[in-house]
Amino acid sequence: MPGPMHGFGRGYLTEEEKANRPKVTWPLLKRVFSWLAPYKFQMLLVIMAIFVSSVFSLMPSVLTGRIIDEGLIGRDLNALIRLILLSLAVTLGANLIGVFESYLNTWIAQHITFDMRNQMYRHLQEMSQRFFTTNNQGDIITRMTSDIDGVQRTITNTLTDILRNAITLIVAVTVMYRQNPILATVGILIIPLFTIPTRSAGRTRWSLTREAQAASDEINGILNETLSVSGQQLVKLFGKEKYEYDRYEAANRRMIDLNIKESMAGRWFRVVITTFSSIGPMLLYLVGGILMMKYDSDLTVGDITVLVALLGRMYGPVNQLLNIQVDWIRSMALFKRLFEYFDMPAEIRNADDAVVPAEESEGCVEFRHVDFSYNPERQILKNVTFNLESGRCIAIVGPSGSGKSTLINLIPRMYDVTGGEVLFDGTDVRKLDLAWLRQNIGIVSQETYLFNGTIRENLLYAKPDATEEEIIEACKKANIYDFVQKQELGLDCVVGNRGLKLSGGEKQRISIARVLLKDPALLIFDEATSSLDSISEAKIQEAIDPLIEARTSILIAHRLSTILHADEILVLKDGEIVERGVHEELVKKGGVYTELYETQFRQALDAVREAGTGYPEAYGPSDVY
Ligand code: ATP
């Protein structure tokens, strides 16, 4: 009798789940059902299919009574064959309808999750940079994958299980009462007899399983920590071998004790189930027999058999319905979590009356008393004011953490200012069409990101309709073409984890080629602080120089050679522009710039000199160094 086993696998709510049990409110339910709304018609068909298949699958139990009374006891071979065939036919029918129902069910669930995934992805695309820096990437991916898969399970299992079990129970109880009200009442009173022990035995076993799992996790933790290269080194250097061994042995012993207990609990669980589930039918036979023999001569052997069979069919649904509360709470918690994600507002949005300027962009940037902070506790930029005219170049220098990257992120609206304004081509960036604004800004960042595709695919990302000549031209300008030619597959070799490993310098040059294809009015170049050797640096320099000459640009510079290109240098310290001017003036001031020059630039310069590469003429007047 498989019935009582049903539902065991669902487990029980953990303490944490109980504490975080979501409040099921009407708006929440309405919102859950709004996802089902587009599939109303299909849902209706599913409900009908569940109803018919539940009724059909109970029919053989009812027919058994007639098989016994009319066929066997009545000795009517024709009726016997007819009833047997009918019983087989309804079983087949119930199963075929079941197949149809599963198909429809899966179809609906897949389509709902399809809608949900797409909508979530679109929503996430709209989220600002802040969202991605403050949320753990793992959490975001979990929302997109396993949480939405959970929704699918809710629809294919939880909702249909509730329906199927409820319908089966209602039909079974109705038939039982029609068959014999007294026996039906006895049958229903018996139900707690098997559900209560089954549930408590199940709970014990479940908590043991969880404890064993925790012990096994602990063992894995110890193994991972102590059997790694650095872990072992630590153990050896501190002479902790015995300590670690004892810790491991204790955890290991706890696990075997729990495993033995769990295994025995499983065995006892089966004993409880088989014992209690056989008591039910026996009681029905007893009461039925007494009724038949002493009080109610109409009651037949077939009737009693039907009641016993129907009772057997009720075990599963009763148990599942009792357990469904767990699924229900988990599902609601899941929906709530997803809806919370959906409800996060997009911080950076296109203004309703956003403008797309008619004339071509010149890439001019103006900062007017700009303040910015990531969070209220700490202001990052303070009263930053500067003006970058068309075709000119500004270099921003400053100690690490002074706010240089933050400053440039305000131009393409990765973040919005908290005070003052940023103007692009004379208009506040918040009033410009976001797509237009970003189209006109090209950033070569320190941490170059390439998608895991071919070099060509990465370049085409900037301009999908670029011709072969344009791509090659961009590669040549970015000083990466020689490298590409040396690759077996040329532009079609794969970058990233699956294929070619690129150095930081090569990646940055590919990203320069990518920006070249984009051909923006304003170029922002965030120079790498470290990790590049002087040859790579020189190659990048060679690529970037003509670019800067040709357009309006902002450079976050760490190297003197780059700085010397600029028409104006802004020195940023703790988010404030503390000095500004050209190299010759600044270096003589004896302030922050001079200090930076002495420590950073000079070393870099010496390194370039030693390597014998670089562009001495670019370093300006020789009296400077
Ligand atoms: P580096 O030269 O090292 O790249 P930087 O001058 O570009 O430094 P920023 O990256 O602009 O400096 O950072 C300025 C300050 O803002 C730092 O103190 C940093 O810790 C903080 N900061 C940067 N990004 C965030 C963020 N997403 N959330 C909160 N604080 C941030």
Side-chain angles (χ1 to χ4, degrees):
M1 199 171 290
M5 283 301 281
H6 279 277
F8 169 71
R10 295 168 199 277
Y12 300 83
L13 289 180
T14 60
E15 291 306 318
E16 196 190 339
E17 283 174 318
K18 274 186 203 155
N20 297 328
R21 181 189 289 237
K23 239 210 213 120
V24 181
T25 56
W26 183 232
L28 176 67
L29 281 179
K30 247 169 65 183
R31 200 161 168 192
V32 170
F33 283 100
S34 74
W35 284 95
L36 307 181
Y39 307 102
K40 290 195 281 292
F41 174 68
Q42 289 89 338
M43 293 291 287
L44 200 70
L45 270 182
V46 168
I47 294 172
M48 275 159 51
I50 290 177
F51 183 78
V52 176
S53 79
S54 305
V55 172
F56 271 25
S57 67
L58 284 177
M59 271 177 73
S61 306
V62 180
L63 288 173
T64 316
R66 289 179 58 195
I67 288 174
I68 292 172
D69 287 342
E70 292 171 30
L72 299 175
I73 299 177
R75 293 176 170 269
D76 181 344
L77 193 57
N78 275 340
L80 183 66
I81 293 171
R82 211 180 55 241
L83 287 165
I84 287 173
L85 287 178
L86 183 62
S87 178
L88 289 175
V90 289
T91 308
L92 183 67
N95 279 308
L96 289 180
I97 294 171
V99 172
F100 170 69
E101 182 244 312
S102 311
Y103 165 73
L104 214 54
N105 210 344
T106 312
W107 188 92
I108 296 171
Q110 288 294 342
H111 278 76
I112 290 172
T113 47
F114 172 81
D115 298 344
M116 213 173 226
R117 277 205 191 96
N118 290 344
Q119 201 158 322
M120 180 69 96
Y121 189 72
R122 183 168 330 139
H123 178 66
L124 289 177
Q125 296 267 42
E126 281 172 7
M127 297 314 279
S128 65
Q129 196 71 5
R130 189 192 305 275
F131 171 84
F132 292 98
T133 46
T134 45
N135 284 284
N136 183 330
Q137 191 190 354
D139 284 349
I140 302 176
I141 307 280
T142 308
R143 277 315 88 83
M144 278 297 294
T145 51
S146 40
D147 278 6
I148 295 186
D149 286 346
V151 167
Q152 185 197 320
R153 268 197 308 281
T154 302
I155 297 162
T156 38
N157 302 339
T158 316
L159 287 183
T160 46
D161 277 358
I162 294 178
L163 274 176
R164 184 177 302 113
N165 293 322
I167 292 173
T168 308
L169 280 185
I170 293 169
V171 175
V173 170
T174 316
V175 177
M176 279 169 85
Y177 269 95
R178 278 193 47 198
Q179 211 82 20
N180 186 295
I182 301 174
L183 273 189
T185 311
V186 173
I188 288 163
L189 290 178
I190 288 169
I191 287 176
L193 198 72
F194 63 82
T195 50
I196 294 168
T198 310
R199 276 174 72 73
S200 69
R203 202 184 295 271
T204 313
R205 187 179 169 198
W206 186 72
S207 64
L208 279 171
T209 312
R210 284 175 56 84
E211 270 183 64
Q213 185 58 44
S216 146
D217 288 348
E218 190 190 339
I219 288 188
N220 285 337
I222 297 178
L223 293 180
N224 275 329
E225 265 175 32
T226 58
L227 294 186
S228 66
V229 176
S230 31
Q232 259 306 305
Q233 198 177 16
L234 194 72
V235 170
K236 288 196 165 75
L237 288 175
F238 284 87
K240 289 282 190 190
E241 287 90 343
K242 170 135 181 19
Y243 168 79
E244 291 298 350
Y245 175 79
D246 290 346
R247 199 156 76 101
Y248 179 75
E249 200 202 316
N252 207 358
R253 184 170 304 283
R254 205 162 40 250
M255 189 174 72
I256 62 158
D257 286 348
L258 282 167
N259 281 344
I260 294 171
K261 262 197 209 151
E262 193 216 330
S263 164
M264 287 324 289
R267 191 67 196 86
W268 281 111
F269 184 66
R270 283 208 296 283
V271 172
V272 171
I273 290 170
T274 34
T275 313
F276 281 91
S277 41
S278 55
I279 293 177
M282 293 309 140
L283 268 178
L284 270 194
Y285 282 130
L286 181 65
V287 177
I290 295 170
L291 277 180
M292 189 169 74
M293 287 176 241
K294 306 252 176 208
Y295 303 100
D296 183 358
S297 50
D298 279 355
L299 193 65
T300 63
V301 177
D303 289 339
I304 298 175
T305 319
V306 170
L307 283 158
V308 169
L310 286 176
L311 183 70
R313 300 297 298 270
M314 285 168 76
Y315 288 159
V318 167
N319 251 318
Q320 281 202 33
L321 280 180
L322 287 174
N323 272 318
I324 224 125
Q325 186 209 9
V326 173
D327 281 357
W328 176 253
I329 289 171
R330 283 195 189 138
S331 304
M332 286 300 131
L334 191 73
F335 275 111
K336 216 170 153 235
R337 217 164 43 221
L338 282 170
F339 292 159
E340 273 166 13
Y341 243 56
F342 273 122
D343 290 342
M344 281 183 194
E347 196 187 336
I348 309 277
R349 307 180 62 103
N350 222 2
D352 292 333
D353 50 355
V355 288
V356 180
E359 53 296 354
E360 210 166 291
S361 168
E362 297 196 317
C364 309
V365 177
E366 190 182 344
F367 272 53
R368 285 190 192 155
H369 308 289
V370 168
D371 292 332
F372 179 77
S373 52
Y374 288 104
N375 41 50
E377 297 94 64
R378 196 173 141 227
Q379 195 169 351
I380 304 288
L381 294 179
K382 292 162 214 153
N383 196 21
V384 173
T385 297
F386 69 86
N387 189 8
L388 171 64
E389 285 163 12
S390 173
R392 294 178 71 82
C393 170
I394 279 185
I396 303 173
V397 299
S400 176
S402 55
K404 304 181 292 292
S405 312
T406 306
L407 187 150
I408 57 162
N409 274 335
L410 298 180
I411 309 171
R413 286 189 75 197
M414 289 316 204
Y415 295 91
D416 275 341
V417 296
T418 44
E421 45 180 354
V422 174
L423 296 105
F424 188 77
D425 282 350
T427 313
D428 189 320
V429 286
R430 286 167 294 188
K431 295 197 181 115
L432 287 170
D433 178 69
L434 212 77
W436 181 87
L437 173 73
R438 290 180 180 164
Q439 182 57 39
N440 282 299
I441 300 172
I443 299 189
V444 178
S445 57
Q446 262 193 43
E447 281 154 38
T448 311
Y449 192 78
L450 297 179
F451 285 110
N452 196 1
T454 62
I455 295 183
R456 185 195 302 281
E457 282 162 359
N458 271 289
L459 293 177
L460 286 178
Y461 200 68
K463 188 179 180 194
D465 57 353
T467 61
E468 187 77 12
E469 287 73 42
E470 284 176 306
I471 297 178
I472 293 176
E473 180 71 18
C475 287
K476 281 186 181 156
K477 280 196 184 150
N479 229 347
I480 189 73
Y481 194 58
D482 285 350
F483 170 82
V484 171
Q485 272 186 319
K486 275 191 216 134
Q487 303 310 310
E488 209 178 313
L489 294 171
L491 282 168
D492 293 311
C493 75
V494 177
V495 299
N497 15 359
R498 277 186 290 125
L500 178 71
K501 290 238 166 40
L502 294 171
S503 75
E506 286 149 4
K507 270 205 228 163
Q508 200 162 37
R509 277 181 283 147
I510 292 180
S511 88
I512 294 173
R514 187 166 59 183
V515 166
L516 272 172
L517 280 172
K518 188 177 176 185
D519 195 22
L522 171 69
L523 177 80
I524 298 174
F525 182 57
D526 190 350
E527 197 168 55
T529 29
S530 55
S531 78
L532 289 187
D533 59 74
S534 40
I535 295 178
S536 301
E537 251 171 40
K539 282 193 172 148
I540 289 174
Q541 198 66 52
E542 216 177 305
I544 209 85
D545 286 352
L547 272 180
I548 299 169
E549 296 295 331
R551 69 192 78 218
T552 324
S553 40
I554 299 184
L555 317 168
I556 295 187
H558 299 287
R559 270 169 272 284
L560 191 59
S561 52
T562 321
I563 297 169
L564 291 171
H565 273 282
D567 298 302
E568 188 180 16
I569 301 166
L570 305 180
V571 185
L572 210 60
K573 191 180 179 218
D574 296 332
E576 274 178 290
I577 299 182
V578 287
E579 290 166 19
R580 61 171 79 201
V582 290
H583 175 76
E584 289 82 0
E585 290 163 23
L586 291 176
V587 85
K588 289 185 193 132
K589 260 193 171 165
V592 181
Y593 186 81
T594 319
E595 200 180 313
L596 276 172
Y597 170 69
E598 291 294 339
T599 51
Q600 269 190 23
F601 309 147
R602 215 173 178 136
Q603 282 169 9
L605 196 59
D606 290 345
V608 175
R609 274 218 200 115
E610 263 166 42
T613 54
Y615 309 91
E617 73 281 5
Y619 294 113
S622 56
D623 62 350
V624 173
Y625 49 92

